[in-house]
Amino acid sequence: MNTTVSNGPVLQLFDIVDNTLTNTDGLKLFLALRHALEGQDAPVTLFLLNLTAFSSSFLNSSFGALYEQQGPGLMKRIRLTNYKPTQLQELKNYLSDVAKHSKAE
């Protein structure tokens, strides 16, 4: 399900990927988010319903690649919903590490 609401596009994670473990599925999410963000001022909403965990491979190919392309303002452009607090913290920690490594290079 990929719909648009007045606040911007809405993406359902598991309509895009089969799992959150592989680079292949990470790339699918990267492409979907990049497309949804193009030409948008409003944030993209990403539903994480039924998510159990992220693998580092998945994160590298999705949020990591998108962060490298979009920069530090990325998470102001993506609104996450239907997640557990531990999942949000895992994603924040991951993006913090990406930001540190991006500055160091």
Side-chain angles (χ1 to χ4, degrees):
M1 174 182 191
N2 180 357
T3 60
T4 302
V5 295
S6 61
N7 292 339
V10 176
L11 303 175
Q12 301 280 346
L13 178 66
F14 287 105
D15 285 348
I16 300 166
V17 302
D18 296 322
N19 63 65
T20 55
L21 303 174
T22 67
N23 290 87
T24 301
D25 280 306
L27 178 60
K28 289 177 189 177
L29 180 59
F30 165 79
L31 293 171
L33 285 170
R34 185 179 71 180
H35 178 73
L37 289 166
E38 287 175 359
Q40 282 292 327
D41 291 329
V44 172
T45 300
L46 179 62
F47 280 82
L48 300 180
L49 189 64
N50 298 322
L51 174 67
T52 53
F54 297 109
S55 75
S56 58
S57 294
F58 178 84
L59 289 173
N60 289 338
S61 297
S62 58
F63 288 100
L66 203 56
Y67 182 93
E68 291 295 325
Q69 193 176 72
Q70 302 281 324
L74 172 65
M75 291 316 291
K76 291 179 182 170
R77 301 191 65 211
I78 298 175
R79 180 178 299 144
L80 302 175
T81 62
N82 294 90
Y83 56 83
K84 296 175 183 148
T86 55
Q87 295 164 335
L88 179 61
Q89 191 59 52
E90 181 182 5
L91 188 54
K92 284 181 177 181
N93 291 344
Y94 172 80
L95 289 172
S96 176
D97 287 346
V98 169
K100 287 177 193 172
H101 289 94
S102 292
K103 291 177 184 176
E105 293 179 24

